[in-house]
Structure formats: C-alpha cells, structure tokens
Amino acid sequence: MSTALGSKPVPYLQVLDTEGNVVNPDRMPDLRDEQLRELMRRMVFTRIWDQRAIRLARQGRLGFYAPVSGQEASMIGSEFATAREDFILPGYRDIPQAVWHGMPMYQAFLYSKGHQHGGQIPEGVNVLMPQIIIGAQYVQCAGVALAFKLKGEKRVAVTYTGDGGTSQGDFYEGINFAGAFHVPAVFIVQNNQFAISVPVRLQTAAETLAQKAVAAGIPGIQVDGNDVLAVYAATKEAVDRARSGGGPSLIECLTFRFGPHSMSGDDPTRYRTKELEHEWEQKDPLVRFRLFLQRKGLWTEEDENAVIEEAKNAVNEALKQAEATPRMTVTSLIDSMFEQLPADLLRQREEFAAEEGN
Amino acid sequence: MAQMTMIQAINHALDLELARDDKVLVFGEDVGKNGGVFRATEGLQAKYGEQRVFDTPLAESGIAGLAVGLAIQGFRPVPEIQFFGFVFEAFDEIASQAARMRYRSGGRYHCPITFRAPFGGGVKTPELHADSLEGLLLQTPGIKVVIPSTPYDAKGLLITSIRDNDPVFFLEHMKLYRSFRQEVPEDAYTIPLGVANVVREGKDITVIAYGAMVHTALRAADEWAKTSGLQAEVIDLRTISPLDIETIVKSIKKTHRAVVVQEAQRSAGAAAEIIAQINEHAIYHLEGPVLRITPPDTVYPFAMAEDDWIPSPQRVIRGLEKAMNL
C-alpha cells in the first residue's frame, strides 16, 4: 500500500520517521517531557500485557482475546489526547484504550473470560463495554455526542473501528448522523490492512479510508498510525475542535497487527506474506519512539525494564483478581435483565433458584 | 374527558411526557416540523423546540443507535420508526444493543427507550408497511412489546412505556389510528404493562387477541352470539411481552376452550407462545385444543388481496365453531 505524500485526497500526517527523527516539526505536539515518557511507558506496558495475554489465552486462563501488538501508537496516542470526562466506545480490540481510560484491567480479563462483572464499568469511568457488532459503536457514538451537545457539556465521544468496519452501513450512518447534528465526536479507523484474512483493497476501491469522511461532509485525515506523536497530534486537534463546537472528524491510522486477528484459531501466515510482516516490523511504533526519546535523553534501558516489570506484575495481579471473582448464577443473570422483573421471568427465576438450592 | 382518536391520544401522551420530563426526546423521520406522517407528533416541535423534538437523517439503524447513545447518557428517547416493516434496518440496535444493555453491563447502563412504529393492514399501504413483525421482538429477551387497540389504552400504555426504565416497543396499528373515538382523560394516567383486559364477558370460549384483531374478535363474538346463542369472552392482551397469562388462565377456567386471533401469519406473531403458556398453566381446564385464527404463512399480501388475507369476523366465527366442536 502506498503511503506516498501528495497524491492523497485527504491530508496525511507523520511527525516521526521510522528512525525516530522529527520530519514535521510544525506538527510536533506540545507535550512535556513527563508526558512523552508516560506515552512510552504506556506503549511498553501494553506490549508486555499483550504478550502475556496471548500466552494466558493459549493456556486457557483468558477467553476471547484480540491481539494489539503493533497498534500501540494508534491506540495509546489517540486515547492520550482525550480527557477523563470524554466517553470512549471501544471495539473488541480496543481494550487498551478502555483500560488507560480507567477500566480496571481485571475487568477487561473478566470480559475476555465471559463474566458479567467485566461489563460493570465503575461509576465515573467513561467507557462502554467492548462492542462485538462491527459498526454499532459508530451510530451509538453519534448518540452519546448528541447527548453532550444537548446537555451543553464540553465532552467528546470517541470511537474506534478497523479497516473492514468501514464497509458497514453503521460506519457511514454514524459519521453522517454526527455530521448532520454537528456533534462532538471523533471517529477513529485503525487500518491494520486486514479484516481477518481480507486485505483492505478488497473492502473498497477508495485510495484512503479517511476520504470516506467526505461522504459525511466532515474533516478526515490519514495519519501514520505507528507514529504515536502523529496520532496524538491528529486526535488532539479533532478532540479540541469537537470540544469547542467544531463538530466531528474522522481519523484513519495506518498500522499493522503483528499477531493474529484473535486467539480463536486465526493463522495470519495463510493470508500475509513474510515480506509484508517484515516490512511492518521495521515500522514498530515502540522502536521509533524509543529512539526519539533516547536521543532527547528521556528514556533508558532501566526505564524500559522497570515498565516491563510493572506490566508483568499488573497482569499477574489482575489475573488473580479476575480468577477470585465469584461465579455467576443463573438467578443473578435473570435479575440483571430488567429494573423490575416481569411475572413470567419471576416464575423462571423461581425454577432456577430451586436448581441453585436457594 | 375528551373524545379522542388513537392518534390524538398518542399525541397527547407524548405531549404530557415531554412536559413532565425534560429528558424525554422525540425524534425520527419527519416527526419535527411535519408532525409525523400520521400527525402523531403534530405541534410538539413548535411547543418544545428543536432540541426536544427533531427530524433525523433517513436511516433507521442510525436512529436506533442515536437512541442508545442518548439513553446511556441519561436521556429518555422516544424514537419513531416510520413503518414497522423498516425495523430490519434497525434490528441490531434494538435487539442486540438496547435490549441487552442492562444485562451486558451488569446494570451499569440501561436503555429507557420507547420505540414507536405504525404497522397493520387494511389500509392498502405499499409493500413492507403493514407487516406484523411483533413476533421477532417477542423472541428478543430484554424488550417489552405493547400493542394498544383503543385510544384510552394507547395513552395510558404509552405514558407507562416512556416512564419504564427498560426498552419498550410500542406498536400502533394504522387502521386504528382514526377508525373511532373514545373518551380519554385529559390528565396523565398509566396502565401497567403486562396486564390484559377482558373486553367482552362470556362463558363459552375465550378469544385472545391484540391490535386490530381485538375489534374483529368483538364483532365476531357479537354476531356469533346472535346466531349460536353462545357467548365468547374476548381478552385484549394490550402487552404481548410480558404476557398476562393469569388473566388468560382465569378465563379458561371459566370457559374451558380458547382460540387465539392474530393478524400475523400462522407461525409468526404471539399465538404460538400464548398457546405454549396455556399448555403449561391451564391444560387440565381445557376441553379441546387451542386453535389459531390467522392469515396463512405467506408474505404479507399485495394491497388488493388484503381483505381476503387478514382474518375477518366470519373467519373468526368459523374458528369459534370449529373450536366448540373439537
């Protein structure tokens, strides 16, 4: 896929090249040294967490899991540009954004294992449960953003989908509704170039996914999704515009997942070449940002090792907490269907309560 | 008290709830300035403003998704799907999203949404306007399904639906919109969901119906009484999910026979579930099988064939006679 500048119908943004050199100083985001280090900390942490999660899924200690290695810049750079009061509607792969936005990691693990408590996001954490129906989060995002506008709150709704998801009707309806209502929403497309086995060229003849914003009449931009500073800069601009009443935007992050689509038996060697995988390994978002920080004297091997240790411990603790969570009961599932149970469901509850010995 | 058509009663209920709770929002295709294609929302935008009553782009999934997003941020959306036949476009947001939100989030989020949609035959609409698709919702855990047959019920049930903190689908039969007037109180009042109404007392057989078929069943019962001397008891379900099985069982204990009349095809609608519940709760009181009086399992008819396809009072009478002789 060409990433050549100039020929695209939408702007393209890169700040760091693959060697960590600043190639676009005008768009260098205004981040303090501590924030730059925090970005790196979160990316390294997420890489280690992903590697551990893949192993845990193989061991059967986690359930459904969609790997994220390679997409750290897209995920973490964009979430870092939001405020705590902003509301995130994640897709099923977007667990890191949800966790960095405040969802406890052990609940993410419970979601993976298929436990209801995984979706009981704590009050004050502005995240929805991960969305399995590809595109549904986009139309809901328009609604959340409209709520903020109607209430006069200076909050932004942010949602994510993948390249394949841009072919859904709900993708288009979501950005189009947001445009028509001029609401504070930021729509992010993580183009990792494959929807399971289907390459993006089989999704659309459009040269970029960002240009799909034109159909909704909203701004669209394609960014180097492996460049955390570019992702942050583009998202910050979109979030600021939305917060100040400037309406929604679409951001396409060009990236790549190093691992399989999910841990449910997908084998990427069936549809991706070694050459392509090698090409993208050279664009690892952690490598270039590490080089950038090291050159500024902001990152050392000790820093890196400390984060790795921290991540491993956090995963272990979260796993312990997830595994210590009491089993669900059928009666408790029945109880969570409605505020007040209808008579028929109450009768069914009695049947299952008897089965449970209550 | 005032004489109102069902459409006026619905408009009245929306007006009262918009006035009572500023979190209530009414939106859909042409519901704003135009007042709705059936005038259900007439005058509401002028009274409450474009922030409360507004038009949307023409996209049912977008409308339903908008409702879900607004609901989880504290609003009480009352979206309209212009015709129930278009519900398939929005089915993911209704069945997979709104209906499951409370459960998926363990109670952290919930969707106090009332979806409104007109449906029903007898007015010669084009394709996919009149289809009775309520059975699809009946099989969707997490959503209640309300189908009023009178102006009085429509107002009280709609107010209850809007105040319910879980999703409700409120289906409005087009043929009943303006077919008759009824005394309806001016003030707000509620009718509980899941409670049926015995609309004609009888001792010989129970007729269970909802929507326009309530009126067809009543006409059939009156004519049949004249010719046979037998008295059918007619139950208007008003809510098909949850189902008021108690009222049905109480009636069957008296009559010992029952039929279900619905406008949906034989294998669609609510009839099969009603009969299954009768079997569970009242089989020892029955002297014969419970029959279904319905259209056949075809696609909804071309407009010119509607009158032959939808159950008529005569078809209901034939069904009653058959049920009495089994």
Side-chain angles (χ1 to χ4, degrees), chain A residues 246-302:
Chain A
S249 316
L250 180 69
I251 300 170
E252 175 193 2
C253 300
L254 262 178
T255 183
F256 197 80
R257 62 172 150 82
F258 293 150
H261 162 72
S262 77
M263 296 309 295
S264 311
D266 176 47
D267 172 11
T269 65
R270 291 167 69 98
Y271 53 83
R272 291 197 314 214
T273 61
K274 282 253 178 307
E275 293 71 39
L276 187 67
E277 290 186 0
H278 181 72
E279 179 196 329
W280 278 90
E281 276 161 23
Q282 306 310 305
K283 299 177 185 171
D284 187 328
L286 272 63
V287 171
R288 76 171 81 171
F289 197 51
R290 189 183 290 118
L291 289 169
F292 167 80
L293 290 181
Q294 283 171 343
R295 217 165 287 141
K296 288 173 71 93
L298 291 175
W299 196 253
T300 64
E301 210 178 318
E302 292 75 53

Side-chain angles (χ1 to χ4, degrees), chain A residues 24-230:
Chain A
N24 194 346
D26 293 347
R27 295 303 304 274
M28 183 68 195
D30 183 21
L31 289 167
R32 299 185 308 276
D33 288 353
E34 265 322 295
Q35 290 175 301
L36 292 170
R37 280 170 51 78
E38 178 62 13
L39 270 175
M40 187 64 192
R41 185 182 81 86
R42 291 185 182 193
M43 288 207 291
V44 173
F45 187 112
T46 304
R47 176 70 56 91
I48 299 301
W49 161 21
D50 185 64
Q51 290 168 352
R52 289 284 296 136
I54 286 170
R55 278 200 292 275
L56 290 166
R58 288 205 178 107
Q59 293 165 15
R61 293 178 77 185
L62 287 182
F64 172 75
Y65 183 72
V68 301
S69 282
Q71 299 188 203
E72 292 89 347
S74 291
M75 292 174 161
I76 285 150
S78 55
E79 192 282 328
F80 203 69
T82 66
R84 294 299 273 189
E85 68 266 21
D86 295 336
F87 194 88
I88 293 187
L89 297 93
Y92 52 79
R93 198 179 303 279
D94 305 307
I95 308 296
Q97 298 95 303
V99 168
W100 291 116
H101 210 66
M103 180 183 185
M105 188 191 273
Y106 87 95
Q107 285 185 281
F109 286 173
L110 283 173
Y111 174 79
S112 165
K113 289 160 72 73
H115 193 297
Q116 188 177 39
H117 184 51
Q120 286 176 317
I121 312 289
E123 286 288 335
V125 174
N126 294 302
V127 171
L128 200 59
M129 303 79 71
Q131 180 58 253
I132 291 292
I133 302 300
I134 294 169
Q137 69 273 35
Y138 263 54
V139 281
Q140 291 168 13
C141 181
V144 169
L146 179 59
F148 296 157
K149 182 181 174 180
L150 290 175
K151 289 192 275 189
E153 295 176 348
K154 297 279 182 203
R155 299 166 69 188
V156 181
V158 181
T159 190
Y160 295 84
T161 192
D163 40 297
T166 62
S167 302
Q168 289 278 7
D170 276 355
F171 165 82
Y172 168 70
E173 289 184 30
I175 61 175
N176 188 58
F177 268 60
F181 289 117
H182 201 68
V183 293
V186 177
F187 297 95
I188 298 175
V189 173
Q190 295 185 82
N191 177 2
N192 67 22
Q193 305 173 66
F194 287 87
I196 306 189
S197 66
V198 178
V200 69
R201 68 180 161 76
L202 295 182
Q203 296 292 343
T204 178
E207 192 185 348
T208 70
L209 300 178
Q211 75 197 65
K212 294 192 174 220
V214 174
I218 67 173
I221 184 172
Q222 186 186 54
V223 304
D224 181 339
N226 281 17
D227 171 1
V228 71
L229 296 180

Side-chain angles (χ1 to χ4, degrees), chain B:
Chain B
M1 296 282 270
Q3 288 280 324
M4 288 188 200
T5 61
M6 190 159 101
I7 199 87
Q8 288 170 329
I10 287 165
N11 181 273
H12 217 238
L14 293 170
D15 190 351
L16 288 167
E17 289 308 286
L18 280 160
R20 187 186 68 90
D21 182 353
D22 65 7
K23 291 288 185 275
V24 172
L25 303 175
V26 171
F27 54 90
E29 297 158 8
D30 309 291
V31 305
K33 195 163 193 152
N34 193 39
V37 293
F38 291 103
R39 305 286 171 263
T41 54
E42 176 102 333
L44 298 179
Q45 189 183 65
K47 192 166 173 184
Y48 297 98
E50 291 175 15
Q51 304 264 303
R52 305 283 309 285
V53 180
F54 50 89
D55 291 315
T56 66
L58 202 167
E60 286 75 20
S61 187
I63 291 168
L66 201 71
V68 171
L70 287 162
I72 62 172
Q73 292 300 332
F75 283 96
R76 197 170 283 280
V78 189
E80 178 181 296
I81 304 292
Q82 199 161 69
F83 292 94
F84 192 37
F86 311 162
V87 76
F88 293 107
E89 298 292 328
F91 218 74
D92 175 64
E93 285 298 322
I94 294 164
S96 310
Q97 308 294 330
R100 296 165 66 109
M101 186 65 76
R102 184 184 291 277
Y103 179 89
R104 290 184 65 223
S105 68
R108 167 69 164 87
Y109 299 108
H110 64 279
C111 285
I113 302 172
T114 303
F115 296 96
R116 289 182 45 249
F119 80 112
V123 291
K124 305 251 185 307
T125 51
E127 282 187 274
L128 279 163
H129 284 57
D131 294 57
S132 290
L133 303 167
E134 67 276 9
L136 301 172
L137 298 170
L138 198 61
Q139 300 197 3
T140 301
I143 191 160
K144 295 167 189 158
V145 185
V146 177
I147 307 181
S149 70
T150 66
Y152 180 87
D153 283 355
K155 181 174 169 181
L157 288 167
L158 182 53
I159 290 174
T160 310
S161 300
I162 293 171
R163 294 180 187 178
D164 198 290
N165 282 329
D166 289 300
V168 176
F169 216 109
F170 192 85
L171 285 164
E172 304 165 5
H173 199 291
M174 281 183 272
K175 200 177 179 184
L176 302 180
Y177 267 155
R178 293 185 173 84
S179 59
F180 67 101
R181 289 175 184 274
Q182 190 183 24
E183 285 291 323
V184 175
E186 298 276 356
D187 292 340
Y189 60 95
T190 58
I191 296 171
L193 306 190
V195 178
N197 198 11
V198 178
V199 291
R200 186 186 196 281
E201 300 264 353
K203 58 179 177 29
D204 298 308
I205 188 165
T206 299
V207 183
I208 301 150
Y210 58 94
M213 287 302 106
V214 172
H215 302 283
T216 302
L218 284 171
R219 273 197 295 278
D222 289 346
E223 274 184 46
W224 191 53
K226 283 182 216 154
T227 55
S228 71
L230 296 170
Q231 296 299 331
E233 177 148 300
V234 179
I235 295 176
D236 179 357
L237 286 175
R238 302 196 288 195
T239 305
I240 59 162
S241 178
L243 193 65
D244 180 3
I245 191 64
E246 284 79 7
T247 297
I248 295 170
V249 169
K250 192 176 162 205
S251 177
I252 288 173
K253 281 181 179 169
K254 181 169 68 170
T255 63
H256 308 293
R257 292 183 190 274
V259 295
V260 182
V261 189
Q262 70 178 19
E263 190 176 311
Q265 293 88 335
R266 187 70 48 93
S267 2
E273 173 62 21
I274 294 164
I275 294 168
Q277 291 210 29
I278 289 171
N279 281 339
E280 285 172 21
H281 297 283
I283 196 146
Y284 297 116
H285 301 285
L286 285 171
E287 284 175 17
V290 182
L291 299 186
R292 290 179 282 183
I293 300 165
T294 73
D297 280 322
T298 69
V299 168
Y300 189 84
F302 297 96
M304 290 176 71
E306 259 186 339
D307 292 343
D308 297 324
W309 191 84
I310 296 170
S312 60
Q314 291 67 38
R315 194 186 296 162
V316 175
I317 289 171
R318 284 197 298 277
L320 289 170
E321 283 169 354
K322 188 176 174 190
M324 289 307 293
N325 293 313
L326 282 169

